[in-house]
Amino acid sequence: MTADIAASASSRIDHYPSRRSIPARFLERLDPVVYTRDVNDAPITPVQINQYEEQGFFVLEDIFSDAQVKCLQKEQQRLRMSEVNPGDEARIHEPGDNTLRSIFAVHAVSNVFARLASDPQLLTVARFLLEDEVYIHQSRLNYKPGFRGRDFYWHSDFETWHVEDGMPRMRALSMSVALTENSFNNGPLMLLPGSHKRFVACSGNTPENHFRESLRKQEYGVPPDDLLMQLANDGGIVAVDAKPGSVVVFDCNAVHGSNGNITPFPRSNAFIVYNSISNRVGEPYCNRPPRPEYICTRRSISPLKKGEGVPASE
Amino acid sequence: MTADIAASASSRIDHYPSRRSIPARFLERLDPVVYTRDVNDAPITPVQINQYEEQGFFVLEDIFSDAQVKCLQKEQQRLRMSEVNPGDEARIHEPGDNTLRSIFAVHAVSNVFARLASDPQLLTVARFLLEDEVYIHQSRLNYKPGFRGRDFYWHSDFETWHVEDGMPRMRALSMSVALTENSFNNGPLMLLPGSHKRFVACSGNTPENHFRESLRKQEYGVPPDDLLMQLANDGGIVAVDAKPGSVVVFDCNAVHGSNGNITPFPRSNAFIVYNSISNRVGEPYCNRPPRPEYICTRRSISPLKKGEGVPASE
């Protein structure tokens, strides 16, 4: 461990040093994947638990009614089309043009997505896997438009949340709720099974205000070609085709990405990140100011209570 | 028909006017798809003939031995790595960087690919479907590198060959020979089944020396969003996963494209275009000079003779 690392923010130990101007490499994962030891009364099947543990993800299907799915789709459309403050930084556009790519903090601006995030089915699964109360570290809508939707390059979310947000340990997970048909053709989520068991410490460092560019096109905190090749050779690549309403649950350190989309059919997902309340974020590990609240909940962290669930329209 | 169209090169009738500064629209296909009426002794199955007629493509599998596939792969690698004249225009690079994207006229510079193009199995199928002697209108290697391989946007090859090369009618077909695993994840060929039955006349016109840009990233001669949506809604989208050595045979007017490739695994194909000898190219229909010989055979058109077939290495 270099002097630089040892001297990092507030003399905390950095268990997952990355972007420390040293070459990229694999580090050991020091944290459990499934925190719960007691799997009696598990809200998911043993197969799902095992897949999450070994591969880093699984899919929840058929947990929302058609009417609930329609409601989410309508709300997505409304948010996408809604008149907004032109300076609204929580709305991210594609690199090089003005097509909407993501809207952050949707649970904070939409009652429907707040109810999705606190849906008892989802919350029960998150609490079970993390064995703790949880809060929403981040939420967003990802729009991958048809015809000209850009890729999301390979990355571990945890790497960024750790370095730029100060999330100490791997005790968080994401749920990606399909809002349109995610087929093999329109740039579905691809995961590298087993990648969550190693931490890819990345080279380089973190530029000032990195988030302004990284949310459009990530260039720092991405694993290098040789390590990606090793992960893909070791565990393969799984693309998740999902019908609207299906939920992909994946570990915070699972390396994932998606290709672009030239099909006419947009690929849209709502993305909710649950972090363990014991794992709340501190100072970033990169000696940069914290990212804005719409990207990383910091000011108002409290255990998420079960809500009424997703409303049903029509 | 506008005066402009009627007055086009040499007062020939332009059966498929496109890029004539009028809005994009569908025109009727005036030519057969399967030219042969007599299907006795057909070199392909009735199912394949029907798929080609109705959907515009089919796949030939297991026609090359493992040793032949290895030979093609080695030759591809050799051509890719070979020292070349830096001004060699037949080698096309990705937009924005120097990664090799395509090498044109490989049948003219490589004995192995010349033998692929004149392989009796392929040639028999081409002659059967077009019911004529054929020649090679174009050949190329398409490399879609891993990690950062770019998409090929939707297009009908015939639209370009007609407008820019002066190919009069739809009596040509392409064979795409997989040289690496083409999976659903690494940007495989996607086709719009049934699209070959209509001609998409495109808007705009043809800029001077269009090929210099269009081979990197096509912007003219691409169908507009609404017509692509209609084609995709009418016939769906089929991505072709193909193991090395598999051959996708598709009609010259089948609309196709492919997504980018962030996986570590390159997607490479050899691409051979057979044109009917009765359908040889004339003056371009766009009042621009003909494209170079490496893109469009013009000087040395003669019926292709059956060769010895692809050599086997090892």
Side-chain angles (χ1 to χ4, degrees), chain A residues 28-293:
Chain A
E28 194 187 347
R29 178 180 179 131
L30 304 171
D31 300 307
V33 178
V34 176
Y35 277 74
T36 301
R37 296 260 169 88
D38 178 10
V39 296
N40 292 326
D41 302 318
I44 52 177
T45 68
V47 170
Q48 287 172 321
I49 296 172
N50 187 59
Q51 200 196 338
Y52 185 77
E53 175 77 43
E54 295 304 321
Q55 303 201 20
F57 69 97
F58 66 96
V59 182
L60 291 168
E61 281 173 345
D62 300 319
I63 63 170
F64 298 120
S65 70
D66 290 352
Q68 286 176 304
V69 172
K70 274 202 184 117
C71 178
L72 292 170
Q73 290 173 325
K74 265 171 70 173
E75 179 67 356
Q76 171 219 216
Q77 201 61 13
R78 188 186 72 76
L79 288 171
R80 184 179 184 180
M81 296 307 175
S82 63
E83 291 250 344
V84 288
N85 178 345
D88 185 354
E89 293 202 325
R91 295 170 75 95
I92 312 295
H93 295 86
E94 293 277 7
D97 66 36
N98 267 327
T99 314
L100 193 64
R101 180 177 172 89
S102 304
I103 302 176
F104 276 78
V106 283
H107 71 287
V109 298
S110 156
N111 178 51
V112 171
F113 284 108
R115 285 176 61 171
L116 174 66
S118 62
D119 184 278
Q121 301 174 95
L122 303 189
L123 198 51
T124 302
V125 171
R127 284 182 184 164
F128 168 78
L129 290 169
L130 302 174
E131 203 178 37
D132 201 359
E133 296 282 347
V134 299
Y135 72 95
I136 300 173
H137 171 66
Q138 183 187 96
S139 75
R140 66 177 191 252
L141 288 174
N142 284 334
Y143 293 111
K144 184 176 289 187
F147 303 111
R148 282 161 287 274
R150 306 290 174 87
D151 60 65
F152 287 80
Y153 197 67
W154 300 111
H155 62 285
S156 148
D157 291 326
F158 176 77
E159 196 275 346
T160 295
W161 299 338
H162 180 70
V163 173
E164 299 191 27
D165 295 338
M167 183 184 284
R169 308 298 290 243
M170 297 178 187
R171 195 170 184 175
L173 58 79
S174 298
M175 298 202 188
S176 175
V177 184
L179 299 177
T180 61
E181 182 85 28
N182 283 223
S183 75
F184 291 128
N185 296 337
N186 65 354
L189 178 69
M190 294 191 291
L191 292 130
L192 301 182
S195 59
H196 64 303
K197 294 184 176 179
R198 290 182 275 191
F199 178 71
V200 182
C202 297
S203 62
N205 45 36
T206 308
E208 199 173 2
N209 287 324
H210 178 230
F211 66 93
R212 290 196 204 282
E213 286 309 313
S214 69
L215 302 180
R216 296 157 71 94
K217 187 172 191 309
Q218 190 167 355
E219 292 184 36
Y220 297 87
V222 297
D225 292 3
D226 57 338
L227 300 192
L228 283 173
M229 178 68 91
Q230 197 172 326
L231 290 171
N233 279 332
D234 289 352
I237 299 174
V238 171
V240 184
D241 60 329
K243 59 178 198 278
S246 290
V247 183
V248 188
V249 182
F250 57 104
D251 178 81
C252 60
N253 188 46
V255 175
H256 61 285
S258 62
N259 279 319
N261 176 24
I262 67 165
T263 79
F265 307 116
R267 190 224 64 165
S268 301
N269 298 317
F271 186 76
I272 303 154
V273 182
Y274 298 98
N275 189 24
S276 163
I277 200 85
S278 322
N279 192 41
R280 64 183 66 202
V281 298
E283 289 300 304
Y285 289 88
C286 60
N287 297 317
R288 296 281 182 199
R291 302 197 294 177
E293 191 75 10

Side-chain angles (χ1 to χ4, degrees), chain B residues 14 20 55 85 99 104 118 158 173 203 230 262-263:
Chain B
D14 182 349
R20 296 283 188 171
Q55 301 201 18
N85 178 341
T99 314
F104 276 78
S118 62
F158 177 76
L173 58 79
S203 62
Q230 197 172 327
I262 67 165
T263 79

Side-chain angles (χ1 to χ4, degrees), chain B residues 1-224:
Chain B
M1 193 176 284
T2 67
D4 174 51
I5 295 172
S8 71
S10 320
S11 78
R12 288 172 304 166
I13 294 174
D14 182 349
H15 293 284
Y16 296 107
S18 182
R19 307 191 215 169
R20 296 283 188 171
S21 301
I22 45 179
R25 67 216 178 282
F26 288 122
L27 298 179
E28 193 186 348
R29 177 180 180 131
L30 304 171
D31 300 308
V33 179
V34 177
Y35 277 74
T36 301
R37 297 259 169 88
D38 178 9
V39 296
N40 292 325
D41 302 320
I44 52 176
T45 68
V47 169
Q48 288 172 321
I49 296 172
N50 187 60
Q51 201 197 336
Y52 186 76
E53 175 77 42
E54 295 304 321
Q55 301 201 18
F57 70 96
F58 66 95
V59 183
L60 290 169
E61 281 173 346
D62 301 319
I63 63 169
F64 298 120
S65 70
D66 290 352
Q68 287 176 305
V69 172
K70 273 201 183 119
C71 179
L72 293 170
Q73 290 172 326
K74 264 172 71 173
E75 179 66 357
Q76 172 219 213
Q77 201 62 12
R78 188 187 71 78
L79 287 171
R80 185 179 183 181
M81 296 306 175
S82 63
E83 291 250 343
V84 286
N85 178 341
D88 185 353
E89 292 202 324
R91 295 171 75 96
I92 312 295
H93 295 86
E94 293 277 8
D97 67 37
N98 268 327
T99 314
L100 193 64
R101 180 177 171 90
S102 304
I103 302 176
F104 276 78
V106 282
H107 71 288
V109 298
S110 156
N111 179 50
V112 171
F113 284 108
R115 285 176 62 172
L116 174 66
S118 62
D119 184 278
Q121 301 174 96
L122 303 189
L123 197 50
T124 302
V125 170
R127 285 181 183 164
F128 169 77
L129 290 169
L130 302 175
E131 202 178 38
D132 201 359
E133 296 282 347
V134 299
Y135 72 96
I136 300 173
H137 170 67
Q138 182 186 97
S139 76
R140 67 177 190 252
L141 288 174
N142 284 334
Y143 292 112
K144 183 175 290 187
F147 302 110
R148 282 160 288 273
R150 306 291 173 88
D151 60 63
F152 287 81
Y153 197 68
W154 301 111
H155 62 285
S156 147
D157 290 326
F158 177 76
E159 196 276 345
T160 296
W161 299 339
H162 180 70
V163 172
E164 300 191 29
D165 295 339
M167 183 184 284
R169 308 297 293 242
M170 297 178 187
R171 195 171 184 176
L173 58 79
S174 297
M175 297 202 189
S176 175
V177 184
L179 298 176
T180 61
E181 182 85 29
N182 283 221
S183 75
F184 291 127
N185 295 338
N186 66 354
L189 179 68
M190 295 191 291
L191 292 129
L192 302 182
S195 60
H196 64 303
K197 294 184 176 178
R198 289 184 275 192
F199 178 71
V200 182
C202 297
S203 62
N205 45 35
T206 308
E208 199 173 4
N209 287 323
H210 178 229
F211 67 91
R212 289 196 206 281
E213 286 310 314
S214 68
L215 302 180
R216 295 157 70 94
K217 187 172 192 307
Q218 190 166 354
E219 293 184 35
Y220 297 87
V222 296

